Every structure is written in C-alpha cells, then in structure tokens.
Amino acid sequence: MPNTKLRRLVATSIAVTLCGTALAACGSSDDKSSSESGPASLTYWSWTPGMDKVADLWNKGPGKQQKITVTVKKQASGDTLVTKILTAHKAKKAPDLVQAEYQALPTLVSNDALADIAGESKDAKSKFADGVWQQTTLGSDAVYAIPQDIGPMMFYYRQDLFKKYGLTVPTTWEQFAETARALKKKAPDKDLTTFSANDSGLFAGLAQQAGAKWWTASGDKWKVGIDDAATEKVADFWGGLVKEGAIDNQPMYTPSWNKALNTGKQIAWVSAVWAPGTLTTAAPDTKGKWAMAPLPQWDGGTDVTGSWGGSSTAVTTDSQHKVAAAKFATWLNTDPQAVAALAKEGGIYPAATTAQTSDAFSEPPAFFSNQADFYPKAAEIAKTTAPSAWGPNVNVAYTTFKDAFGAAAKDKSDFTAALKKMQDDTVADLKKQGFGVAQ
C-alpha cells in the first residue's frame, strides 16, 4: 500500500480514537490555504438542476463582496463523476469544488482528492443532525465536505387501500411482516411491497437503520462488516418474506413496477423523502391517495431511520483557493436564501435542519396534498438518522449486491449466501487495491 494512502486511511478512520496524532499529518488544511488573499475564481462540478442559478445568488451577493466567483459545470452523478474527479486529480486538475454522494467520500479521501476544511467550517456543524454531519467527517476530527441534501427513509402507503383491507400502518418490522401476510390472505393478487435489488442504496439504508457498520477502521486497516449481525437480520427478514411469497420480488423502476403502483397491485413502498417525485411519474393515477409515516422499527422502543441518497459539497486538494471554496460550500448549504433556492431550483431536500422547516417546505408535495404535515413529519424523521459507515470501495459492494441479491430475489433463494458473497467480494477488492484489511 502506498504510504500516502495508508496515512489517509488512518486520518479518516471511522472511529475517532483511531485518528490520534496521525490526523495532523494527513488531512488538515495546509498553511498555504490559510493565508489566501485576493480575488478567487472557483469551479464547481455538480449535477443538481439549477445549481448555476443558485451560484448566481452568491456571485451577485456574498461572492461579489468577497471577490469570490463560482462557475458551475454540470456533470453526471454517481460513479461516473467519482471516476472523473479521480482522473482529474491524478493530473492535478480537479475543480475547486465537487458535489459528492456521502458513500463516495471515503473513496475520494483515500485517494487524497478532498481537503480537510475543519478550520473553515467549524460554525456549520450545529446546522445539521449528528448522523448527517458524521457522514462528512468519517468519524474523525477532519471535515471533508458540507452536507447538502439528505434522503431520510420513510414508509409510504395507500391510505384508501389500507382502509379497504382493514390494515394498520406498521410501526415495527414484525408488524410489517404481519401486514404483508394479512394483505395476501385478503387480496391474493396484491402485494404490500417488493424487495428490489436494482438499487443498492435501499438495502444499505435498511441495514444502517438496524445498526450496521459496513466499513470501520482498525488501526491502519479497514474492517469490513457487511455480513455483520445487523445486516444479516435485515437480509433474513426480507429473504424470508420473499421466499414465503408474502411480498413481491420484482425490481423497482421498471414498467411492470410502475404499473403495480399505479393500479394498486402494490400498496406500499419503503422509500425516502424524495419518493413523491418518483410516484408522480410512476403512479400518476394515484395522486392524493398516498400517505407517509416513519419507517417501521426493529425495537418498538426506538426511533431511528436510515438514509437512501444524499450528497455534499467538498473542496478538493487541487484547489488553490481552499478557504474561498470552503466559504462558498458553507454558504451554499447553510444560508437561508441559498438553501431555499436549492429546494426551488434543484428540488432537493436540504440537509440543514433549519431549512427543513423553512417557507420552502410550508406546503406538502403536490402529490401528497392530502397530507398537510408531510414536511414537518419529514423534518422530525430526519433528526433520527442513524450514523453511516462507508468505505473506499462502496461501488464494488453495491455491484455485488445487485448481482447476488438480484439472483437470490428472482430465485427466492438464500439471502444470507448473497450477503456473504457481497462481503467476500468487497474484502477481496480492498486487498487488490493495496489496503490493509483486518479480520
């Protein structure tokens, strides 16, 4: 393993106690950036719609006063953008700022592509829920990004059909299973929901809610716990429901899945705060018939949710204006005017807690006009977001999930075996990349 990569790994340990004195040597803002002065022209790579309009607010206001100009360059999202950032960084030509999904941060940090902006963002922490802020620190004293948007998970259900079949909204996963079985008895042609393997983020969020820690650091090594007890519990639960036929096993986002939602063949969906937008397209005939509730809990006495989606704004190590870039990143995701513009222009659900109860969210989504308290309820749920634990090869884990769990769901076979495959492939890839792996 290259020494630089090893130092970055130690610096970004998921456990704070593992960072120690190594942190100062491998992730803090350098002296050069702290002495910046004069005008700065910054470039920001982002996929959020309308981000250029939000940047214009900065350029005409705070940016003009501070002589800091930001130019937005639209990019693709996901792994495509991560690869582009790493390629640019290898040539020392990465932009000043990048939009990065939370699960991509460890990959970018382990490649020394993101700067630690802890010194420039110390006042931002109080604006976010602890579980959200933790995703940008990776559990260390460093800060590698400012949270931008989040995807707290929730339970969506057809109010009219729950009433028709005498079903109660489940508050625990045990009740969820009972509800699925009860529906099957009353209406064999309908399903409560489906288990889908074509979006890894759903399963990751469910495991997160259960307390999973897929990647943690042990000394100077990564420890992979994808097959930990929490995740195995989640896999066994969903695998059992699929095997007995209590729920469907078809993937999401297909014409067949859309039809099932639109016709009432599937009457509920475990999703996230952004679900109204998807339902608007997938099930247009059901407008005003859905309602949102908190995610069912494993323990009736707890109140916790997982995350499905979300991104942050990070400053790269290639930037010659790290302080200026950190100022913009902080403004973009904490200033009331900026966050309101992000919600309006980009359609995002902001990570900043105060923004979640702003005027921008005073009315429910049009598709949920029947639920006036949609956003107040969403804000309360968002506060319960569990900490996550991402590592440097999330893409490998996610790819294996789609293949292994996709086959298991289709065949109604053992989800535990699919989980072990996910674990083994992730560990093997870390070793192949040159990372130390703890047993």
Side-chain angles (χ1 to χ4, degrees):
M1 181 192 306
N3 190 45
T4 300
K5 183 177 286 187
L6 176 61
R7 294 203 312 274
R8 295 293 289 188
L9 172 59
V10 175
T12 59
S13 296
I14 302 301
V16 177
T17 55
L18 299 177
C19 297
T21 57
L23 184 62
C26 51
S28 58
S29 300
D30 55 34
D31 293 336
K32 178 180 178 180
S33 65
S34 63
S35 60
E36 290 177 18
S37 61
S41 295
L42 311 176
T43 300
Y44 179 28
W45 285 3
S46 170
W47 67 82
T48 298
M51 184 60 77
D52 54 337
K53 296 180 181 178
V54 184
D56 283 344
L57 293 176
W58 164 268
N59 292 334
K60 296 175 182 177
K64 185 175 183 180
Q65 297 170 8
Q66 302 176 54
K67 297 182 180 180
I68 300 172
T69 302
V70 176
T71 300
V72 176
K73 292 193 175 181
K74 190 74 176 290
Q75 305 292 326
S77 59
D79 292 342
T80 301
L81 179 55
V82 173
T83 300
K84 186 173 182 179
I85 293 169
L86 293 178
T87 300
H89 171 62
K90 194 171 184 180
K92 305 293 185 185
K93 294 182 178 179
D96 300 276
L97 298 128
V98 294
Q99 183 176 356
E101 293 177 298
Y102 296 115
Q103 68 266 24
L105 292 177
T107 299
L108 295 172
V109 171
S110 66
N111 282 276
D112 202 28
L114 301 186
D116 173 10
I117 55 173
E120 294 77 28
S121 61
K122 55 183 179 294
D123 295 331
K125 180 179 180 180
S126 62
K127 307 289 186 181
F128 306 94
D130 290 343
V132 173
W133 183 255
Q134 180 267 348
Q135 294 195 89
T136 64
T137 68
L138 309 186
S140 72
D141 291 332
V143 176
Y144 294 105
I146 304 297
Q148 181 166 299
D149 60 297
I150 56 174
M153 296 180 69
M154 301 155 184
F155 178 67
Y156 293 85
Y157 64 99
R158 283 282 298 272
Q159 277 185 311
D160 56 335
L161 296 182
F162 261 59
K163 182 178 181 180
K164 177 179 179 179
Y165 296 113
L167 304 177
T168 302
V169 178
T171 59
T172 67
W173 286 113
E174 182 179 358
Q175 292 174 6
F176 179 92
E178 293 171 353
T179 302
R181 297 180 185 116
L183 176 64
K184 270 297 176 186
K185 288 181 180 179
K186 296 178 179 180
D189 62 328
K190 297 187 182 298
D191 296 289
L192 179 65
T193 192
T194 187
F195 178 85
S196 173
N198 66 345
D199 193 322
S200 315
L202 171 57
F203 185 74
L206 291 170
Q208 178 188 348
Q209 184 211 20
K213 297 282 189 283
W214 283 4
W215 286 268
T216 53
S218 178
D220 59 357
K221 298 180 179 180
W222 283 102
K223 181 175 178 61
V224 182
I226 290 175
D227 62 349
D228 63 9
T231 310
E232 188 171 340
K233 176 172 65 175
V234 175
D236 288 345
F237 176 80
W238 288 93
L241 290 177
V242 168
K243 188 173 184 179
E244 69 176 89
I247 62 173
D248 198 4
N249 61 344
Q250 69 169 311
M252 301 178 293
Y253 315 130
T254 64
S256 176
W257 180 74
N258 291 347
K259 183 178 180 180
L261 290 175
N262 199 39
T263 61
K265 185 181 184 301
Q266 180 180 317
I267 70 170
W269 184 27
V270 175
S271 189
V273 70
W274 42 259
T278 301
L279 291 172
T280 300
T281 302
D285 296 339
T286 64
K287 181 179 180 180
K289 297 179 179 180
W290 291 81
M292 177 269 285
L295 208 61
Q297 302 294 306
W298 287 105
D299 181 349
T302 60
D303 190 12
V304 62
T305 195
S307 295
W308 184 3
S311 63
S312 63
T313 308
V315 178
T316 72
T317 51
D318 291 343
S319 175
Q320 298 301 306
H321 306 283
K322 295 185 180 67
V323 172
K327 287 180 179 179
F328 171 75
T330 302
W331 171 87
L332 177 66
N333 299 302
T334 62
D335 179 83
Q337 184 183 22
V339 177
L342 280 175
K344 178 183 177 182
E345 304 294 345
I348 71 164
Y349 186 71
T353 54
T354 54
Q356 294 161 11
T357 56
S358 68
D359 290 343
F361 298 96
S362 60
E363 298 290 333
F367 203 79
F368 281 72
S369 58
N370 56 301
Q371 188 171 9
D373 67 344
F374 182 95
Y375 281 124
K377 183 175 287 188
E380 289 302 312
I381 293 172
K383 293 177 183 177
T384 70
T385 303
S388 64
W390 303 114
N393 62 340
V394 172
N395 60 320
V396 173
Y398 273 19
T399 298
T400 303
F401 169 82
K402 292 178 182 178
D403 294 340
F405 276 82
K410 182 179 180 180
D411 301 337
K412 298 186 177 182
S413 58
D414 187 8
F415 276 28
T416 303
L419 188 64
K420 187 177 187 304
K421 170 68 172 173
M422 193 176 168
Q423 167 81 12
D424 292 345
D425 282 10
T426 304
V427 169
D429 177 74
L430 279 178
K431 291 179 178 179
K432 182 179 179 180
Q433 288 194 59
F435 287 101
V437 179
Q439 299 300 318

